[in-house]
C-alpha cells in the first residue's frame, strides 16, 4: 500500500492565466460566454437535494477553450470557486490597474448554470504582483492599499455578481506550521492586526457577506523541502512541520491549529466580522484527518467551517493506480462525511475540475497528480462514486 506524500512549502505554485493591462469595471462589458449544454449529473442533483455545496475550483482559460471542461464544471457541481482569477497578481497587475476579466467570466459561468461562487482570496502572502511584493511601504500606506484593494474587489462583485456570491475567503494562510505568524509583507509591515483589519475592510465593503479565514491544517501532509539535482531531477529532502493526521486531530495539540483557534476566538471576542473557517483539505496520506474533531471548537464560537480545497494526490508513474484511487475514495468520503455530519458545515470544494487540470504536477515537478474525483477525461473515479451515496443519504 502506498503512502502518498504531500509536497508544499518551498515548492512553487505556477501562476495560471495572464494578467491583462486593462482595468475594466467588468460586469456590464463581459466577454461572451461559450455555450455549454450540460444537464445536472447525479452527484450535483444529490448535493442539491441535500442542501450541500459541492464544488470545484475553476480557471478561466479552460472555461474559454475546453468544451469538455465546461461541461463537467457545469454538470457535476453546484458551487464554483476561483482557482487563480481573484489572486492579487491577476486582479491588480500594476498599481491602480484592475483586471476582472477572468473573474467576471467565472461568475457569469456560475450564473448561467445556476451555481454559487466562493470568492478566493483577498489577502495572502503568495501570488502577489512584483510591484507589491518588492515594494517599500509604511504601515499606513500598506493599510490604505489593502483597504482600497478589498473595497475595489468586493465592490465590483457586489455591483455585478451579488446574485451568485456565496461567501469569501478574506485571509489565507497567516500561520506557519509551528503556530508562529507567517512573515508575509502584511505581517512584516502592518503587524498582527492586519488580519483584523482585512476582515473589517471586507465587512465595510460588503455588509452581510459571509467572510472566512482559510488555511491548511492537514500536514499528514508531511511538508517537504525540495531542490533540483544537477541532472535536473527533483530531489526531496527532510520533512518538517506537524499538523492534523488521522491519529492526531486534537486542535489543541497541533501548533498551527491552536494558533488559528486562538486567532478566531480573539476576533470573535473583539466583534470582528468573521463567519467561518476554511480547511483546505489537501490530503496526501492514506486517510483524512478527523475534521469533526479538528473543528469542534468552531461552532461554539458561532462560526461555520468548510472544506475548501479538497484533493488527494497519487504518485505519477508505473505504479498501481487502482490502489491509490481506492485510498483516494476513502479519503474523499471520510472528509465529506465529517462535513455532512456537522451542523456547522455544508460545503465541500475540490481543488480543480478534473485530473487534467490539477495543480499537483506543477507543484511537485511531475511527481504527483490524479488528485481529484474525476480523471483527465472527465470520467468519474472511485472518489466520485464514494461521494454519491453520502450525498443521497444526506438528502433523505
Amino acid at each position: 500500500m502506498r503512502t502518498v506524500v504531500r509536497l508544499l512549502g518551498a515548492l512553487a505554485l505556477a501562476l495560471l492565466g495572464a494578467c491583462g493591462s486593462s482595468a475594466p469595471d467588468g460586469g456590464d462589458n463581459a466577454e461572451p460566454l461559450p455555450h455549454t449544454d450540460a444537464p445536472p449529473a447525479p452527484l450535483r442533483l444529490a448535493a442539491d437535494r441535500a442542501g450541500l455545496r459541492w464544488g470545484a475550483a475553476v480557471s478561466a482559460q479552460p472555461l474559454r477553450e475546453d468544451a469538455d471542461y465546461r461541461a463537467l464544471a457545469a454538470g457535476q457541481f453546484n458551487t464554483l470557486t476561483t482557482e487563480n482569477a481573484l489572486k492579487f497578481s491577476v486582479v491588480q497587475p500594476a498599481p491602480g490597474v484592475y483586471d476582472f476579466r477572468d473573474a467576471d467570466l467565472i461568475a457569469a459561468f456560475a450564473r448561467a448554470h445556476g451555481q454559487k461562487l466562493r470568492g478566493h482570496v483577498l489577502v495572502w502572502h503568495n501570488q502577489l504582483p512584483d510591484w507589491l511584493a518588492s515594494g517599500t511601504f509604511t504601515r499606513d500606506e500598506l493599510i490604505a492599499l489593502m483597504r482600497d484593494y478589498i473595497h475595489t474587489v468586493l465592490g465590483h462583485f457586489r455591483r455585478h455578481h451579488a446574485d451568485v456570491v456565496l461567501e469569501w475567503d478574506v485571509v489565507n494562510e497567516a500561520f506557519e506550521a509551528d503556530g508562529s505568524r507567517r512573515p508575509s509583507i502584511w505581517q512584516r509591515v502592518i503587524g498582527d492586526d492586519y488580519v483584523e483589519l482585512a476582515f473589517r475592510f471586507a465587512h465595510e465593503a460588503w455588509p452581510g457577506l459571509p467572510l472566512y479565514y482559510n488555511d491548511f491544517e492537514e500536514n499528514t501532509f508531511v511538508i517537504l523541502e525540495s531542490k533540483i539535482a544537477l541532472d535536473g531531477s527533483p530531489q526531496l529532502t527532510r520533512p518538517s512541520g506537524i499538523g492534523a493526521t488521522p491519529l492526531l486531530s486534537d486542535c489543541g495539540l497541533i501548533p498551527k491549529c491552536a494558533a488559528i483557534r486562538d486567532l478566531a476566538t480573539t476576533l470573535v471576542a473583539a466583534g470582528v466580522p468573521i463567519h467561518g473557517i476554511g480547511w483546505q483539505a489537501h490530503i496526501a496520506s492514506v486517510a483524512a484527518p478527523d475534521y469533526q474533531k479538528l473543528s469542534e471548537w468552531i461552532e461554539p464560537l458561532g462560526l461555520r467551517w468548510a472544506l475548501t480545497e479538497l484533493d488527494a494526490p497519487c504518485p505519477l508513474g508505473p505504479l498501481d493506480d487502482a490502489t491509490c484511487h481506492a485510498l483516494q475514495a476513502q479519503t474523499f468520503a471520510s472528509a465529506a462525511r465529517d462535513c455532512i455530519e456537522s451542523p456547522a458545515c455544508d460545503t465541500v470544494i475540490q481543488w480543480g475540475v478534473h485530473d487534467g487540470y490539477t495543480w499537483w504536477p506543477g507543484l511537485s515537478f511531475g511527481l504527483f497528480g490524479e488528485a481529484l474525483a474525476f480523471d483527465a477525461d472527465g470520467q468519474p473515479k472511485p472518489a466520485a462514486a464514494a461521494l454519491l451515496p453520502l450525498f443521497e443519504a444526506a438528502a433523505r
Side-chain angles (χ1 to χ4, degrees):
M1 181 179 296
R2 296 175 298 168
T3 300
V4 186
V5 182
R6 161 76 165 142
L7 297 113
L8 199 80
L11 297 176
L13 170 61
L15 293 177
L16 300 179
C19 298
S21 59
S22 61
D25 186 50
D28 297 333
N29 299 305
E31 65 186 276
L33 193 67
H35 174 72
T36 301
D37 184 11
L43 202 55
R44 174 176 175 173
L45 291 172
D48 286 341
R49 289 193 296 269
L52 297 172
R53 290 295 169 190
W54 158 240
V58 297
S59 290
Q61 183 175 349
L63 282 182
R64 292 184 177 102
E65 300 174 357
D66 188 332
D68 292 336
Y69 179 97
R70 290 196 298 273
L72 193 68
Q76 291 287 356
F77 308 99
N78 61 20
T79 305
L80 304 179
T81 193
T82 50
E83 187 171 10
N84 288 289
L86 282 168
K87 302 290 175 63
F88 209 124
S89 59
V90 176
V91 174
Q92 196 178 6
V97 176
Y98 284 86
D99 187 346
F100 291 106
R101 288 173 294 182
D102 286 356
D104 284 336
L105 180 74
I106 293 170
F109 186 89
R111 179 180 297 108
H113 299 97
Q115 298 165 310
K116 292 297 183 181
L117 183 71
R118 291 192 83 254
H120 175 82
V121 55
L122 292 170
V123 178
W124 189 30
H125 70 278
N126 206 354
Q127 289 183 256
L128 300 175
D130 288 342
W131 66 265
L132 174 56
S134 303
T136 301
F137 304 92
T138 67
R139 170 181 157 89
D140 287 345
E141 287 171 343
L142 194 58
I143 289 174
L145 187 155
M146 182 172 71
R147 183 180 186 276
D148 179 76
Y149 179 81
I150 290 173
H151 272 255
T152 301
V153 173
L154 293 188
H156 173 88
F157 271 77
R158 189 180 182 188
R159 285 190 300 275
H160 299 294
H161 307 300
D163 58 320
V164 298
V165 173
L166 179 69
E167 56 207 18
W168 212 286
D169 292 332
V170 176
V171 176
N172 206 42
E173 301 174 7
F175 295 99
E176 301 280 17
D178 64 2
S180 63
R181 288 292 189 118
R182 188 184 296 274
S184 66
I185 187 173
W186 314 107
Q187 180 69 35
R188 295 194 314 270
V189 177
I190 298 175
D192 286 357
D193 61 340
Y194 88 86
V195 176
E196 174 178 340
L197 290 170
F199 277 93
R200 291 197 184 279
F201 294 158
H203 183 69
E204 286 176 3
W206 195 339
L209 176 65
L211 306 175
Y212 275 65
Y213 174 83
N214 191 58
D215 214 323
F216 58 88
E217 190 41 63
E218 41 291 314
N219 284 5
T220 316
F221 200 122
V222 179
I223 299 178
L224 291 173
E225 297 175 356
S226 69
K227 62 181 180 179
I228 299 296
L230 293 177
D231 64 0
S233 63
Q235 289 187 340
L236 306 181
T237 58
R238 63 177 179 82
S240 61
I242 184 171
T245 72
L247 299 178
L248 179 59
S249 298
D250 184 335
C251 189
L253 300 178
I254 304 168
K256 189 178 189 181
C257 188
I260 295 168
R261 179 198 60 193
D262 292 347
L263 170 68
T265 301
T266 300
L267 294 178
V268 169
V272 177
I274 179 173
H275 305 99
I277 303 295
W279 297 130
Q280 292 181 11
H282 297 297
I283 306 167
S285 69
V286 295
D290 183 340
Y291 283 104
Q292 285 199 70
K293 184 171 180 59
L294 195 68
S295 307
E296 61 188 4
W297 54 272
I298 295 177
E299 188 179 6
L301 290 178
L303 305 178
R304 300 188 61 76
W305 62 278
L307 301 176
T308 57
E309 305 183 18
L310 175 63
D311 56 19
C314 292
L316 298 177
L319 297 172
D320 179 9
D321 285 344
T323 300
C324 186
H325 291 171
L327 295 172
Q328 187 179 70
Q330 295 174 18
T331 296
F332 268 65
S334 174
R337 185 182 298 109
D338 284 349
C339 176
I340 290 169
E341 292 179 352
S342 169
C345 182
D346 62 4
T347 299
V348 179
I349 309 290
Q350 72 165 8
W351 199 244
V353 172
H354 66 64
D355 284 345
Y357 291 95
T358 177
W359 69 320
W360 274 96
L363 184 74
S364 66
F365 304 109
L367 295 177
F368 296 91
E370 299 182 8
L372 303 173
F374 299 88
D375 68 21
D377 295 320
Q379 296 303 305
K381 291 161 59 182
L387 291 176
L388 183 58
L390 294 177
F391 292 179
E392 291 176 337
R396 300 191 188 110

